Each structure stands twice: as C-alpha cells, then as structure tokens.
Amino acid sequence: MKSKILLTFYLCFSCTSLFAQETIYLISSSSAYNEDNLPLIKKAFNNKGYSIRTDYLDQQLSDYGYVNTDRERANILIKALNDPNVKYLWFLRGGSGALNLLPQLTTHISEFKKMPKKVLIGFSDVTALHYFVNENLDWKSIHGSTAATGKDR
C-alpha cells in the first residue's frame, strides 16, 4: 500500500483552522450505528467550526448488521465519491462489510478519476476503502478516528 494514509488525524482535528469553514459529509458503509447519537456527533463537529452534511446516511439495517445491503451501501458510496461538492468524507464507524463494496467500486474507477480528489477519514473496516482510493485513485486519506468514536456505544 502506498504511504498516503495520513496518520496525523488527532493533530488535524485539533487544528480547527485546517478545516475551518469546511463541510464534512458523514457516511456509513459498514456496521450499523446508533442514530440517537447523530445530534451529539453533529454538535461536536459544529463546535470545532465544521459544517456537517448527512446526505449519504441511509441506515436500513441488513440481516448482517450492516447499515444497508451491500448493493445499496456501494451505490451510496459511489454517489458520494462522484459528488463534486464532497471534499471530506468522514465515516461514522467501521465494523464490517466495506470489503464487500470493492467489486462495485472497481467498476467506477474511471468516473471517480474525473472527480475532484476527496479525503476519506476513518479506520477499522474503512481501511479497505482507504486502500481502494489510495491505490486506484491516488487520493489521500486519513486513517483516524471514525466520527462516532466515543459516542456510538
């Protein structure tokens, strides 16, 4: 794996001027999350000066505890990666299931390469998606805390 996964998450998050006035899009492509904690998560980001969008959150619990079916999770992620307005895509949590999205994502590589580069943020199961964007798209990513870390228990 190329060394494009940034390991400086905590430094970046504590330096609010780095992302000041930036919009962060929350997404979940793996295990289910506690929807009751979304207001707390949004408030934490807002308090740091970030604008938060939840356009790509659509939790319809699957039989395996994922936020949705493999096909729907892949379609949502594809829409987010193709959205020219998205610069930062922060995953709510990891868990499992992201690896299942790679076959669908692979069929859209040429589309993604035409889009402005994005920064993916998260860890755990999201690592498979870091690898995908680092290797196939030459995009940077931050292998750091998920948005729900400490709030989604």
Side-chain angles (χ1 to χ4, degrees):
M1 180 175 353
K2 292 180 185 175
S3 61
K4 292 197 175 162
I5 297 178
L6 304 177
L7 300 175
T8 57
F9 164 74
Y10 290 105
L11 177 61
C12 290
F13 189 69
S14 64
C15 298
T16 57
S17 62
L18 183 63
F19 294 125
Q21 304 303 313
E22 293 284 359
T23 299
I24 295 173
Y25 287 77
L26 297 178
I27 191 166
S28 189
S29 296
S30 300
S31 295
Y33 57 90
N34 184 343
E35 292 176 338
D36 293 339
N37 289 330
L38 272 176
L40 294 172
I41 293 165
K42 288 180 183 179
K43 182 178 179 183
F45 280 104
N46 291 149
N47 288 344
K48 291 286 187 178
Y50 306 106
S51 174
I52 296 298
R53 298 284 303 262
T54 59
D55 306 39
Y56 299 109
L57 293 179
D58 181 28
Q59 181 162 258
Q60 306 294 323
L61 209 54
S62 78
D63 293 341
Y64 301 106
Y66 303 147
V67 295
N68 215 316
T69 64
D70 288 350
R71 177 172 298 217
E72 189 56 29
R73 287 181 294 120
N75 287 338
I76 291 168
L77 183 54
I78 289 164
K79 286 179 190 171
L81 296 177
N82 276 324
D83 185 340
N85 297 311
V86 173
K87 185 174 179 183
Y88 302 103
L89 198 56
W90 205 313
F91 291 81
L92 272 178
R93 65 173 301 210
S96 60
L99 192 63
N100 301 349
L101 311 182
L102 296 183
Q104 243 182 297
L105 294 176
T106 302
T107 65
H108 294 270
I109 289 174
S110 62
E111 292 171 33
F112 299 149
K113 286 184 174 182
K114 295 174 187 171
M115 291 292 108
K117 291 184 177 190
K118 293 155 185 23
V119 177
L120 276 63
I121 305 166
F123 78 106
S124 181
D125 189 50
V126 178
T127 303
L129 303 176
H130 287 293
Y131 182 82
F132 175 81
V133 300
N134 296 159
E135 290 297 312
N136 295 294
L137 306 177
D138 200 32
W139 292 359
K140 295 181 180 180
S141 62
I142 299 173
H143 193 257
S145 182
T146 58
T149 297
K151 294 171 190 67
D152 205 22
R153 300 216 190 281

